Structure formats: C-alpha cells, structure tokens
Amino acid sequence: MVKSPYRVMSACGGLGSGMIKPWLRTVMSARTNVLVVDGSAAQFADHATMSDDLRAVIEAGVATDGPVIIGNCGASGANRDVDALLAVARTVFGELDVSDMKVAVIRSEVSAEVLIDAMRASALHPFDSQPGEDEVALRDSTFVGQMGVHPIFTALASGAKFVFAARACGASLFAADMIRHGIPSGLAYHAGQILSNAAFVDEAGLCEGLSAEILEDGKAVFRAQHSTQPFTAYSLAAHSQSGWSHPHLHPFPEGVLASGRTEYFAVDTHTAGLSSSVFYHSDEAGASGIKLEGARRGASTVPDEGTVRHVLQNGRTVCEALFPIEHFDVKGDEWRRIGRSQAAYFELGELAADEDLDEKTRSVIEDAPPRAASHDVHRLSDITRAIRCVSAGPHRLTIDIFFASEDQYEMALRSNLFCARRLAKALDIQRSSLVGTYFIDSCSAIKLTLERQAVQSLDPPLQSRVERLVVPVHAS
C-alpha cells in the first residue's frame, strides 16, 4: 500500500473542450502525483482551443513531479486521429521549448492481418449477438483495441513523463499509475472508474474536475473541484452505477471489479470517499478479452458507432501484436525515437475462488410474493428522486431507479413488482428481454438491465413505461 497520501487529478472534459484551465489552476497549487486527461479529439475540436488546452496541460506537467497521461487520443484511437493530436503536441512542445523529457505513444489500431489470423484461430468472437465478419470485411475496416492497465503501466515504468495513449478503458488510465505505486487493484480500478467520469460525479453534473487522495488506511477520498453542488457518499455510490449493466460487477480487460462490499463515506459537503472494493483477475494473466471497435473505411471511427468484437487473449495476439509503445526523447518539436516495446502483462487482483461473479445470480431481486395483500399504492414517479436511462454498451440499456428514501426503497422491494417475472408483465415486454433486475443498497436504488434490440422500438418508450409504474404497498 502507498506509504503517503497519493494524489491524482482528473480533468472535466477532454483536450479541445476549453474546460481544462480552471482545473489546472488547482493542479498547479497542490502536490500531484499524476495528471490525467481522458479524451481528446483533434479532428473535431477547434485547432486554437486544442492548442491552448494542450499547452496548459504540458505546462502543468512540466511543473509537477509526476507523469501526465493523455488517454483516448483522437477520440477513435485510430492512427490517423492519434497522429493529428501528436502533430499539435509537437508544435506546443516546440513553442514551450520542452526538452530532456521522455514521451511514450501507445497505439491502438489493429491490422487486418492480426484480426484475420485471430479469426482463423477461433480467437475472434462476435460481441454479444452481433454477426461475425469475413476476411473481406475485416480488410475493409479500421479496428482499434481498448487497452487496459498494462500498456500504460509499461510506458510509465520506462520513465515516460508524458504518455499519449490511444483507445483505452477510462478507468485504466487512472489505475495504471496507482497500481505502479503499490495501491491495491480494487481501490485503483474503482477510483479510476469515478475519476474517468469526473464531470458527472456531483449531484448536478457540473463538476469542473475531480481529485482523489489514496490514504495509507486503504481509502480513496475524492474532492469535487469548483463545484457548488453537494458531493456526498450518495453521489459516489450513485455515480458508480452509470453505464454498467450490473450494479456490483464491472468487467475490465484484466478481470472484474466487485463493489458489493464497497463502503462509501462522507467527509464534508464537497468531499467523500470509498474503500473495500475488490478486483478479481481473469483466468489468464493480463487480459481475459480485448474489446475491438471498428468501422468501414470512410465511415466514422468514433467509439460505439462501429462494429464491436472481442479478441480473446493469447500470447501472440495481445502480448506481441496489440498496443505497441513508441518511446521518444524530446527536444522541443524534435522527437527522437529511441525504441519500441510491448506491454508486460502480469496478474492483477485476487483469484475469484468461491466469489459469485455471475450477473444472473448476484444482487438479483428474487421472486418473493408478499404474504399479505397490499393496502395502498404509490406511483413510482412520486417516490423516486431520479429515474435514469443509460446505455450500457452497444447492446444493453439500463434504467437506474433512485428512491427518495431508504424506506421507500425497502417498500418497493417488498412489493415484488421488481422481480423479472412481474416487471416484464407490468412493462408489457418479453421476459427474455430482461437481463436482470438488481437491488443496490448503497444508494437505495434498483437497476433494470435490458437487451436494447428487444425494447428500442417500444411505444411508449421504455423509460416512460417505467415512470408510469404503480407500486403496491405491503406491510413490512
């Protein structure tokens, strides 16, 4: 475990958003171990704004002792978009006369030959229920892999001051340096998950940046920067649900983050923390599967708009072919290439053993009919503080129902309305379209996870149907 408070800063908005400088004022005034910017889109942003944001990040990085990680470069992670950002970066390094520092560039684009070899070896599999592709389609597409911790960890271990990572899992951008400093992987991944969506973490979604300190006692403490809204233990617990199909099982390239035993706590109105999250590694060291995102050439390569596949880990495909790292010595706008390497893979986290990591059984709301008749009803919209419909990947939707109080949450669970059988009937949808219904005690919420294709054409829409639900009241 880290021997002194470790501090990481996360920006709100990516490079080119124009939202970087307020965050950097805080970075420059406090000790920081690592600066992370998740997202940059040189092909979409105004060039002047992109240059100004990048200049501010580089200046802050030079002034701090720790490294700077800029992830998801160019939005898509394809080589052409990464190169567009690097061209701006070289110009800014020259203008600032930055010298005697090392830069690492991690690529994500995957060649058609690698994919075809994987397909022939039965290592390329469709994501969920998507149809497979043939060799002609693969050659006519641009694919990128979503890297996890190991390539970033390797780049930092080489002594890189600045790391430009192409397509990456957002949490991994933050977790890599934490793990390098001895912070347990469960805490690192969960903190990284929170930090990677810093803009939306307070109760109004107006945070301009987020810092986290990892303490010696195994706790991560977060503070919302420049926020006028409450930032509480509830904020953290609720934010941990966004975009995940299961409340307590969050898959990453290297394994699964389990948050069922996570403890959330408040410090003050703008500071809250968490502890006790656990990361379980996959059966193979490194990665259980690398997600691929692709699009036909000439089409957009923005993530989630193209075809998605998994390449299952094997030594040749992942360890030797994916995520090459280029190393440079920097002297202004002259970047001298000094080497190339591949990520070093190793096991992270704990062995699952008897731990339940099955989304069909863990935290599922059981079908338990009440023992007595109902004596009242409440409209769901009257007993909730928010009902949020969010994409959980290309093929699933989640609806998170946050109740106004713990008592109303318990009342809803007692009603048995939210078991899969009764809920499908109440919403007039096929039972098979429901992946699961789950209870979330940490923020008094219920999560509904559904197959997108089965419900996307509903009239009225699914969220409207949920909001119209009537909850029967039974005695406790």
Side-chain angles (χ1 to χ4, degrees), residues 185 254-258 261 278-282 348-353 355 357 362:
S185 52
E254 299 84 4
V256 177
L257 172 67
R261 300 185 184 92
V278 182
F279 191 82
Y280 295 100
H281 62 70
S282 60
L348 287 170
E350 302 178 14
L351 183 65
E355 186 72 16
L357 301 181
R362 182 154 182 172

Side-chain angles (χ1 to χ4, degrees), residues 9-20:
M9 289 293 301
S10 173
C12 169
L15 293 174
S17 67
M19 303 173 70
I20 297 292

Side-chain angles (χ1 to χ4, degrees), residues 303-327:
D304 296 330
E305 291 187 5
T307 305
V308 181
R309 295 289 181 267
H310 272 93
V311 176
L312 297 183
Q313 184 204 348
N314 57 58
R316 231 168 249 185
T317 304
V318 177
C319 297
E320 297 181 9
L322 270 63
F323 313 123
I325 308 168
E326 298 171 288
H327 304 271

Side-chain angles (χ1 to χ4, degrees), residues 137-332:
L138 290 175
R139 291 189 186 280
D140 195 37
S141 302
T142 298
F143 276 87
V144 297
Q146 187 186 65
M147 76 182 74
V149 161
H150 295 93
I152 305 162
F153 183 105
T154 304
L156 292 169
S158 74
K161 173 69 173 181
F162 293 90
V163 176
F164 292 85
R167 188 72 176 115
C169 171
S172 299
L173 296 169
F174 298 87
D177 195 60
M178 287 189 247
I179 292 171
R180 192 169 70 97
H181 279 79
I183 295 169
S185 52
L187 189 63
Y189 272 96
H190 202 156
Q193 178 183 312
I194 297 293
L195 290 161
S196 65
N197 290 293
F200 308 105
V201 76
D202 73 11
E203 294 191 13
L206 299 175
C207 178
E208 291 184 7
L210 191 68
S211 66
E213 281 196 348
I214 311 301
L215 308 179
E216 292 183 57
D217 60 1
K219 296 177 180 178
V221 177
F222 303 83
R223 182 171 182 80
Q225 307 295 331
H226 312 296
S227 174
T228 59
Q229 301 297 320
F231 177 60
T232 63
Y234 178 89
S235 304
L236 276 181
H239 184 67
S240 294
Q241 298 305 316
S242 182
W244 297 100
S245 62
H246 191 281
H248 301 130
L249 301 175
H250 301 166
F252 289 96
E254 299 84 4
V256 177
L257 172 67
S259 61
R261 300 185 184 92
T262 300
E263 297 178 4
Y264 301 92
F265 57 90
V267 178
D268 57 43
T269 56
H270 293 289
T271 311
L274 59 84
S275 65
S276 305
S277 301
V278 182
F279 191 82
Y280 295 100
H281 62 70
S282 60
D283 293 336
E284 300 180 57
S288 58
I290 298 298
K291 186 169 73 172
L292 299 177
E293 300 161 336
R296 292 294 177 89
R297 291 199 173 89
S300 170
T301 53
V302 175
D304 296 330
E305 291 187 5
T307 305
V308 181
R309 295 289 181 267
H310 272 93
V311 176
L312 297 183
Q313 184 204 348
N314 57 58
R316 231 168 249 185
T317 304
V318 177
C319 297
E320 297 181 9
L322 270 63
F323 313 123
I325 308 168
E326 298 171 288
H327 304 271
F328 299 89
D329 268 341
V330 169
K331 186 176 181 180

